[in-house]
Amino acid sequence: LAMGISVVDNLAFMYFDSLGASNTMDGWTVVSTVIFEIPVFYVAPMLLERYGPGRLLLAAGIAYIIRVVGYTLVPDGEVYTMYIILMLETLHGVTYAGSKAGSVEFISSMMPGGYEASGQGILIFATYFGIVAGLIMAGWIQETLGARVMFRVMAAIVSIGVTVYLLAELFCDKAHLETDTVDRSESDENCHLIKSDSCASSASAFADKETERYIRNLKYDSLNKYVTDW
C-alpha cells in the first residue's frame, strides 16, 4: 500500500497534465484529498474500536484500487475528465487515513509490552522501503509503457496486499476467537477455584490478618535494630 500511495503522490500530476489539467486543477486535486482525510482521521478511533485495524487496512486498499483503476478509464482531453478525477481523489482520505491509523494500531497490538516504539520504527522502515521500491519500478513502467499501465500494475500489487490482508483477517480472527474461548474457560475455572478457596478460608481471615501484622512488625523491628547497630 505504501508503494501505491507514493506513486500517486509523486507521479499522478504528470498523468493529470497529459489529460489536459491546468495547474489550478492540479491544486484542487490536492485540496480534495486533504479535505476528505480530516473526517476519516476524526472517526478513525471509533472505526478501530468497532472493526479493528485489519478491516481498516482492507478498506484503505480497496479504496486505492478503485481510485487508480478509475484513473486508467477516464478519456483523454474531455472537458469532464478532470471532474471525474476530482471525484476519485476523495477516496484518498480513506486510503491515506485508513492506512496510517490501521497500520500504527496493528503494529502496536502485535508488539510485546515495552516494544511499541520499536514496532513503529520497523513500520516506518518498511513503509519507506516500499516508497523507494514503488517509485523506482513505477517510474520505469511509466517511461516505457505509459501511465495507464503503471497505475494498473500498482492496482494489481495492492490487490495482492489486500488479498493477504483478507486471508490474515479471516484466519487470525478465527484463531484469536478460539484462543479467547480457551482463555475465558480457564479464567472462569480459576475464578471458581478462587471463590472456593475464599469461602473455605473466610473463617480464618482474622487470624491471617493478625499473622501478617505480626510479621510486618517483626520485619520493621529487625530493620530498625540493623540501622541502629550500623
Side-chain angles (χ1 to χ4, degrees), residues 8-9 12-17 19 21-37 67 71 81-93:
V8 172
D9 289 344
F13 292 121
M14 299 171 63
Y15 177 60
F16 296 162
D17 291 342
L19 295 176
S22 62
N23 292 333
T24 303
M25 186 60 72
D26 288 341
W28 276 111
T29 61
V30 177
V31 172
S32 63
T33 59
V34 174
I35 286 176
F36 283 89
E37 284 177 19
R67 179 187 180 190
Y71 285 170
T81 297
M82 287 309 299
Y83 295 102
I84 297 175
I85 295 293
L86 281 177
M87 289 189 291
L88 291 172
E89 290 298 274
T90 59
L91 294 172
H92 177 79

Side-chain angles (χ1 to χ4, degrees), residues 179-197:
T179 304
D180 284 348
T181 303
V182 174
D183 292 342
R184 192 178 298 111
S185 300
E186 293 178 353
S187 177
D188 292 342
E189 183 179 354
N190 292 334
C191 182
H192 290 313
L193 290 174
I194 291 172
K195 288 181 179 179
S196 299
D197 292 342

